[in-house]
Amino acid sequence: MIALSERFNKTFRPQGKVFHGWWIVLSAAGIQFTSGLFWMHSYGAYVVLLQEEFAWSAAIVSGAFALTRVESGLLGPIQGWLTDRFGPKLILVLGNLLFGISFMLLALVDSVWSFYAVFILIAIGGSLGGFATAMVSIVHWFRRHRSKAVAGSQLGFSLGGLAVPILTLVLQWVGWRWTAVLSGLFILVVTTPLSLVMRHSPQEIGEEPDGIPAREPVALNQALPPLRFTTRQALWTRSFWFLAIGHGVALLTVSAVMVHLLPHLTRTLGFSLTYASTFLPLMFICQVVGQLIGGLLGDRFDKRLLCTGCLVSHALSMFFVAFAESALMVVAFALLHGFAWGIRAPLLVSLRADYFGAQIFGRVLGFTSMITMIGMTIGPLLVGILYDRYENYTIGFTWIGVLALIGSVFFFLAKPPTPVDRPTALTTPQAS
């Protein structure tokens, strides 16, 4: 018990008070909670109601989601540069202001074109005011406990998923238009102020990463020193591309589930929207547990191999949901997909910071988004087009599973890059 208490204090209270970095983690969790609840996890519920009202095809609603992912990917490098240059606080505040206002505009949608235009604005606001920007702050504040910190911040995204059944009830009680207005107000009143807690680095307030004074030695196996890569040099490594491709394939599965899981369960298995949405909490509970496990394992074991196993689990989950004939098979899908998603997500953030250093993390993540957007775009589009063609989701989800198996190979091959300050470096240092 004493040893556990000492470990707790060293992690959270290294100088006798709660390390400020953990307050940043808590703020990031709150920001990602609203992004998960109102945007990413609830899109499938909106799809069901929008199709009922406007009789839009699966390809149309999939195309809107895919278009927002393309926009977020193209925005990524600019967002990364802005965040590294001006710090995360300003970008988060501006992003969440746009995010909230755009949701209120969603209530005015009355055509495909207005639907697409508003969703582009939502995507811009959600991107600037969400995950990628917050992660830049966290990787600067933590080294020794980086995986734990990333996992803790991403718990908010999973908890947002747990709250989706509540949002589904609100959608059915007051309609999707009023739900959009209330969501926008919540973002403006709650999420935007949370952004003010963020700081770019601990040095801004006279602290050090993990709350450990610079004079205190840190064991080599407990913290990775920053590698001296420029952005250009990082982009020339095989590790960057293999991680990005593997990540893009992982998001292929995630985006397909976000858009088409609830339509699949309601149309193929005949579940009501309320009953179908009850499987989401199970998936997100597994995601929460998986994030906690991933945060602990990531600071102790090879993150690359853990990510490889997670993508194999994603593939298996797709096969379960593709051929589901009962609620039991949907439960199996939720368990595999939830755990894989939860464990993998913090590991990839931490892995990039470990490989390329915190100084260029925002730009590395920004350029990564240009590749991962392909997976986020193809996933829902592929399943939607195949549904419109064959009137079932089995073929689409099966293909997603096959692609996930192939993608796991890229994670396995993404070995640590050679630091550029060593004789074996692949490139000559250049400014970027």
Side-chain angles (χ1 to χ4, degrees):
M1 233 8 224
I2 295 176
L4 185 62
S5 176
E6 289 178 353
R7 179 174 296 182
F8 177 87
N9 286 330
K10 285 183 179 180
T11 301
F12 296 99
R13 298 167 54 89
Q15 300 299 309
K17 63 178 182 179
V18 176
F19 175 50
H20 187 76
W22 293 111
W23 293 116
I24 288 178
V25 169
L26 188 62
S27 174
I31 291 169
Q32 292 188 75
F33 172 84
T34 54
S35 175
L37 172 59
F38 298 130
W39 170 223
M40 302 299 287
H41 295 318
S42 62
Y43 186 77
Y46 276 99
V47 164
V48 174
L49 298 177
L50 287 167
Q51 287 185 301
E52 287 180 358
E53 180 168 337
F54 296 108
W56 291 336
S57 69
I60 287 177
V61 293
S62 300
F65 187 88
L67 182 62
T68 63
R69 296 304 87 204
V70 171
E71 172 277 321
S72 295
L74 296 176
L75 178 66
I78 300 173
Q79 178 182 349
W81 180 84
L82 289 173
T83 306
D84 284 338
R85 175 67 178 82
F86 298 104
K89 182 197 294 187
L90 176 63
I91 307 303
L92 284 168
V93 170
L94 294 176
N96 280 302
L97 285 173
L98 178 60
F99 194 39
I101 293 170
S102 299
F103 253 103
M104 299 176 75
L105 292 175
L106 179 61
L108 304 177
V109 164
D110 59 1
S111 67
V112 171
W113 304 115
S114 60
F115 172 63
Y116 273 52
V118 169
F119 263 78
I120 289 174
L121 292 177
I122 288 175
I124 294 174
S127 296
L128 293 175
F131 165 77
T133 308
M135 289 305 102
V136 172
S137 181
I138 289 175
V139 300
H140 278 84
W141 277 83
F142 293 91
R143 290 179 189 165
R144 176 183 297 186
H145 304 296
R146 184 174 284 158
S147 293
K148 298 184 189 72
V150 172
S153 71
Q154 292 184 347
L155 286 176
F157 190 74
S158 303
L159 293 175
L162 284 172
V164 167
I166 299 174
L167 186 69
T168 301
L169 290 175
V170 176
L171 282 166
Q172 294 179 321
W173 287 340
V174 303
W176 63 269
R177 295 183 188 274
W178 273 109
T179 302
V181 171
L182 295 173
S183 299
L185 288 173
F186 185 95
I187 293 167
L188 292 175
V189 174
V190 178
T191 311
T192 304
L194 283 176
S195 305
L196 298 173
V197 178
M198 306 300 287
R199 295 288 187 276
H200 196 176
S201 68
Q203 287 77 17
E204 288 184 14
I205 59 173
E207 296 200 38
E208 295 291 333
D210 299 298
I212 302 171
R215 65 181 180 274
E216 182 177 329
V218 179
L220 290 176
N221 64 339
Q222 292 178 315
L224 291 172
L227 301 180
R228 289 186 287 175
F229 282 99
T230 65
T231 307
R232 184 181 301 178
Q233 289 158 352
L235 297 181
W236 275 98
T237 63
R238 287 181 298 178
S239 302
F240 170 84
W241 289 96
F242 287 164
L243 284 177
I245 293 171
H247 193 179
V249 174
L251 294 182
L252 185 86
T253 69
V254 169
S255 60
V257 168
M258 284 179 176
V259 177
H260 295 292
L261 177 62
L262 291 180
H264 174 41
L265 298 182
T266 54
R267 295 171 189 168
T268 306
L269 298 183
F271 297 159
S272 68
L273 179 59
T274 302
Y275 180 55
S277 67
T278 61
F279 291 97
L280 296 180
L282 174 61
M283 183 173 70
F284 294 122
I285 287 172
C286 293
Q287 188 182 10
V288 168
V289 176
Q291 285 170 332
L292 295 174
I293 294 173
L296 294 173
L297 295 179
D299 289 329
R300 294 173 178 266
F301 302 104
D302 191 329
K303 303 177 184 68
R304 175 178 59 89
L305 297 180
L306 291 171
C307 288
T308 302
C310 287
L311 203 43
V312 172
S313 294
H314 275 307
L316 294 175
S317 73
M318 293 300 102
F319 296 142
F320 271 109
V321 77
F323 297 98
E325 296 179 349
S326 65
L328 185 61
M329 294 184 71
V330 180
V331 169
F333 150 79
L335 292 172
L336 284 169
H337 186 68
F339 276 120
W341 190 359
I343 294 172
R344 170 187 55 75
L347 296 181
L348 280 175
V349 174
S350 185
L351 194 58
R352 286 194 181 92
D354 291 349
Y355 278 11
F356 303 111
Q359 292 87 344
I360 61 167
F361 176 81
R363 279 161 282 183
V364 168
L365 193 60
F367 280 103
T368 297
S369 69
M370 296 186 69
I371 302 164
T372 58
M373 74 171 183
I374 298 173
M376 288 289 283
T377 302
I378 291 176
L381 273 179
L382 176 63
V383 178
I385 291 172
L386 289 174
Y387 176 82
D388 288 339
R389 176 67 177 83
Y390 299 103
E391 296 187 353
N392 72 76
Y393 286 99
T394 301
I395 298 174
F397 279 120
T398 300
W399 270 110
I400 297 294
V402 171
L403 292 172
L405 282 177
I406 297 172
S408 66
V409 176
F410 288 96
F411 277 150
F412 181 77
L413 295 175
K415 296 181 179 180
T418 304
V420 299
D421 58 333
R422 297 181 183 176
T424 54
L426 298 177
T427 58
T428 303
Q430 303 175 42
S432 66

